[in-house]
């Protein structure tokens, strides 16, 4: 095994680290390519600005990789229920108990997930090339990668986990469809006036989606993480304001949107934004497979982007592990199986998130009436609620 060309994972974010770990734990040769970005050490009340809602399926994967147990339990918050408010009188309340569960998801900082994964990678002794991808050459069923420092790395398979602007995807010529929404997702941490009781809350306002995710309490009291999707121009104007003006802007809009559902809300951190897009790719090319944001991106209103990427990792590992013994890891038929396996979940999540974005973005009265009436209808049908919960948690 030591003399076998490795599977080279390009990208050292969450998806890349998880993929390399999964390969190594499956007994497959693995190596990482990319800079080693060590997450900054944070104090008890200092949290990374980007957080993720980890589904039970993703938690199970991280647990099997040995990373979940390495996370600081004090920085992980269980989500036991979710409230969704339409732009009129539509309302939907989803609770874990409605499907005989304890938890719908766990809110974890991106930096904490990366720290745990890096620690697990170090424990496994996975080779890590701290360099950047430069170009790609196909060699039979394998590839040769040239790095920024001019090194040549041969691999039986290259996994592109290098983010939304993926150089691997570009070099491999993988078909890619990109649609900008014209919106930004703005994130920040908040002091909240009332305990969140492990409930996530989301408001559709017509031209924005305002979500509050439960976070660990701080010395100052309860805390939540804000994910606010809004028109890009408004987001940039807000970010450009000084701190006091940012607080005033936020306080006025937050009260109007939430009706003080969690009491007065106050920014703990400066808002940070990222453009929102809908992206899908063909996911594979000769000797190359994509995972995570390199393969697809969806609107964050369902909080499923990272879970979708970890689903890629799970299915790629399963396809490689269960291939016929005579087939190479980079065999086109093996990679085609991976592409087919991911086609339905990626398409379905793209359809749902894009459809919800368009549905709640429509301003005509009949559509507004229908979407709010639909929410009220679902809220009164336990079977449909269970279906929504199972789809959200990855069952």
């Amino acid at each position: 095994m030591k003399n076998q060309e490795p599977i080279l994972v390009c990208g050292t974010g969450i998806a890349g680290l998880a993929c390399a770990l999964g390969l190594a734990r499956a007994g497959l040769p693995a190596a990482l390519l990319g800079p080693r970005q060590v997450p900054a050490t944070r104090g008890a009340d200092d949290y990374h600005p980007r957080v993720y809602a980890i589904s039970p399926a993703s938690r199970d994967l991280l647990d099997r990789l040995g990373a979940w147990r390495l996370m600081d339990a004090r920085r992980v918050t269980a989500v036991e229920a979710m409230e969704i408010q339409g732009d009129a009188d539509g309302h939907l309340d989803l609770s874990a108990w409605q499907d005989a569960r304890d938890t719908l998801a766990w809110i974890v900082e991106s930096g904490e997930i990366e720290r745990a994964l890096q620690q697990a990678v170090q424990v496994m002794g996975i080779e890590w090339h701290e360099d950047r991808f430069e170009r790609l050459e196909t060699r039979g069923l394998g590839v040769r990668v040239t790095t920024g420092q001019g090194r040549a790395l041969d691999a039986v398979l290259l996994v592109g986990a290098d983010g939304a602007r993926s150089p691997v995807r570009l070099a491999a010529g993988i078909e890619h469809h990109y649609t900008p929404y014209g919106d930004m997702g703005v994130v920040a941490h908040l002091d909240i006036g009332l305990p969140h009781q492990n409930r996530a809350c989301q408001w559709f306002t017509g031209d924005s989606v305002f979500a509050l995710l439960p976070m660990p309490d701080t010395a100052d009291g309860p805390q939540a993480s804000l994910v606010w999707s809004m028109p890009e121009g408004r987001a940039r104007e807000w970010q450009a304001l000084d701190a006091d003006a940012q607080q005033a802007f936020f306080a006025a809009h937050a009260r109007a949107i939430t009706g003080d559902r969690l009491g007065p809300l106050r920014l703990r951190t400066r808002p940070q934004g990222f453009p929102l897009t809908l992206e899908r790719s063909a996911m594979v090319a000769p000797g190359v497979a994509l995972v995570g944001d390199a393969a697809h991106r969806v609107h964050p209103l369902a909080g499923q982007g990272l879970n979708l990427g970890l689903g890629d990792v799970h299915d790629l590992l399963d396809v490689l592990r269960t291939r016929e013994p005579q087939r190479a890891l980079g065999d086109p038929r093996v990679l085609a199986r991976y592409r087919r396996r991911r086609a339905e979940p990626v398409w379905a999540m793209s359809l749902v998130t894009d459809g919800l974005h368009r549905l709640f973005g429509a301003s005509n009265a009949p559509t507004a009436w229908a979407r709010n009436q639909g929410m009220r209808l679902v809220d009164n049908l336990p079977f449909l609620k269970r279906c929504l919960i199972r789809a959200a948690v990855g069952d």
Side-chain angles (χ1 to χ4, degrees):
M1 185 70 72
K2 289 184 178 180
N3 295 324
Q4 183 178 346
E5 290 181 357
I7 299 173
L8 184 62
V9 180
C10 181
T12 54
I14 293 173
L17 293 167
C19 190
L21 265 175
L23 291 168
R25 286 188 170 273
L28 298 171
L32 278 162
L33 173 63
R36 192 187 301 263
Q37 299 176 341
V38 180
T41 301
R42 294 181 177 270
D45 290 344
D46 182 19
Y47 289 82
H48 193 281
R50 192 78 180 267
V51 302
Y52 291 109
I54 301 298
S55 70
S58 293
R59 181 198 179 281
D60 289 346
L61 174 63
L62 293 170
D63 192 36
R64 292 195 300 274
L65 297 179
W68 188 261
R69 69 202 71 171
L70 296 176
M71 295 181 199
D72 186 345
R74 295 168 297 182
R75 305 183 78 91
V76 178
T77 307
V79 179
E80 299 172 0
M82 183 172 186
E83 298 177 16
I84 305 172
Q85 182 68 49
D87 54 337
D89 57 351
H91 181 83
L92 181 59
D93 197 339
L94 301 175
S95 298
W97 63 264
Q98 293 166 342
D99 194 43
R101 301 172 183 271
D102 295 325
T103 306
L104 295 176
W106 292 264
I107 305 301
V108 193
E109 305 155 83
S110 62
E112 182 64 13
I113 302 172
E114 290 172 6
R115 184 197 62 76
L117 286 168
Q118 286 189 15
Q119 187 175 342
V121 163
Q122 185 176 2
V123 170
M124 290 294 294
I126 296 172
E127 186 177 15
W128 192 325
H129 303 283
E130 296 188 51
D131 201 346
R132 60 181 176 82
F133 173 89
E134 185 69 24
R135 59 182 182 271
L136 171 66
E137 176 188 350
T138 303
R139 299 169 57 251
L141 293 179
V143 298
R144 171 166 289 175
V145 169
T146 302
T147 73
Q149 297 176 4
R151 301 171 61 193
L153 302 176
D154 292 333
V156 67
L157 173 66
L158 175 63
V159 178
D162 50 345
R165 304 280 73 82
S166 173
V168 169
R169 185 184 66 219
L170 182 62
I174 295 176
E175 182 182 1
H176 177 243
H177 300 279
Y178 170 93
T179 304
Y181 281 114
D183 292 344
M184 291 191 77
V186 183
V187 297
H189 293 321
L190 314 176
D191 289 320
I192 59 178
L194 299 172
H196 52 62
Q197 299 178 315
N198 295 91
R199 300 178 73 88
C201 300
Q202 189 173 48
W203 290 263
F204 289 88
T205 71
D207 66 346
S208 72
V209 184
F210 188 98
L212 297 177
L213 306 177
M215 292 281 288
D217 290 347
T218 71
D220 298 325
Q223 175 189 202
S225 181
L226 168 73
V227 184
W228 192 0
S229 305
M230 64 172 70
E232 185 171 355
R234 189 192 312 165
R236 294 195 183 280
E237 290 175 4
W238 180 31
Q239 290 177 275
L241 299 173
D242 62 37
D244 289 340
Q246 283 183 346
Q247 288 282 5
F249 174 96
F250 177 73
H253 284 80
R255 171 165 285 187
I257 292 170
T258 70
D260 284 339
R261 166 65 182 79
L262 289 174
L265 307 179
R266 180 174 177 80
L267 292 170
R268 286 179 58 86
T269 61
R270 290 186 65 87
Q272 300 184 19
F274 52 94
L276 302 184
T277 58
L278 175 65
E279 303 182 41
R280 283 180 289 180
S281 77
M283 296 196 71
V284 300
V288 178
L290 303 179
V291 299
D293 284 355
H296 43 68
R297 294 186 80 187
V298 296
H299 198 287
L301 60 84
Q304 294 297 312
L306 178 61
N307 294 318
L308 199 61
L310 290 176
D312 296 341
V313 171
H314 173 276
D315 285 353
L316 179 60
L317 294 173
D318 190 55
V319 166
L320 295 178
R321 182 178 53 82
T322 59
R323 76 193 189 286
E324 299 89 338
Q326 71 273 18
R327 296 206 185 280
L329 291 163
D331 189 307
R333 283 161 290 194
V334 174
L335 298 183
R337 291 171 193 165
Y338 166 63
R339 180 182 180 181
R340 288 194 298 271
R341 181 86 69 90
R342 295 308 295 159
E344 182 178 350
V346 171
W347 176 84
M349 187 57 65
S350 300
L351 183 67
V352 167
T353 55
D354 187 58
L356 286 173
H357 169 75
R358 295 180 185 278
L359 176 64
F360 281 91
S363 58
N364 62 82
T367 302
W369 176 86
R371 66 193 175 219
N372 285 280
Q373 184 70 17
M375 291 179 70
R376 292 195 300 273
L377 176 65
V378 172
D379 199 44
N380 289 310
L381 294 174
F383 171 74
L384 285 181
K385 282 189 174 185
R386 288 196 296 271
C387 291
L388 285 174
I389 291 169
R390 289 172 186 176
V393 302
D395 283 2

